[in-house]
Amino acid sequence: MNCTKALRQLAVVALIGSGALASCSAPSRPASKTYVVTMANMDFSAKTLSAHVGDTIQWVNKDMFRHSATAKDGSFDIDIDVGQSGSTKLTKPGNVQVTCKYHPTMTQQILVNP
């Protein structure tokens, strides 16, 4: 039974105690995901990324230079040596502007949904 119909029958449910509302629940949030972004040729592989609070972003440095994934709002600053990776878990919704502190022309935007 869907929740709308169950709510309409609330009086009947209360009288007969059938438990029709027991099957109603809030919509569940999808499982958290990990997004992998490669740093190569002095650029981020994903210039714009849409994710959710609780998701993880992992940056992999495949370039010949040290890079960083630095949020302009100060929420994270991950230093990544050549051949290494680093990650962060997204904790709040918003539009996060990311740059490499060593190479400011490397930019990325992460749209963090609730």
Side-chain angles (χ1 to χ4, degrees), residues 7 15 17 23 28 34 39 41 43 53 55 66 70 80 88 91 94-95 112:
L7 290 173
L15 290 174
S23 64
S28 62
T34 296
M39 300 163 147
N41 301 315
D43 210 355
V53 170
D55 288 347
R66 178 181 213 95
T70 304
I80 308 167
T88 192
T91 59
N95 184 356
V112 184

Side-chain angles (χ1 to χ4, degrees), residues 12-107:
V12 174
V13 170
L15 290 174
I16 62 173
S18 69
L21 291 177
S23 64
C24 295
S25 61
S28 62
R29 176 158 165 358
S32 295
K33 295 181 182 178
T34 296
Y35 297 88
V36 178
V37 176
T38 301
M39 300 163 147
N41 301 315
M42 301 291 286
D43 210 355
F44 293 104
S45 62
K47 298 299 276 180
T48 302
L49 184 63
S50 182
H52 289 89
V53 170
D55 288 347
T56 298
I57 310 296
Q58 179 182 25
W59 292 271
V60 179
N61 186 352
K62 293 188 176 184
D63 222 334
M64 62 177 103
F65 306 102
R66 178 181 213 95
H67 290 303
S68 77
T70 304
K72 288 188 177 183
D73 67 2
S75 58
F76 55 85
D77 183 12
I78 302 159
D79 205 51
I80 308 167
D81 207 353
V82 175
Q84 301 296 309
S85 66
S87 63
T88 192
K89 187 172 187 173
L90 303 171
T91 59
K92 62 182 179 179
N95 184 356
V96 182
Q97 300 296 321
V98 179
T99 189
C100 172
K101 64 185 172 191
Y102 304 111
H103 310 99
T105 59
M106 290 178 62
T107 60

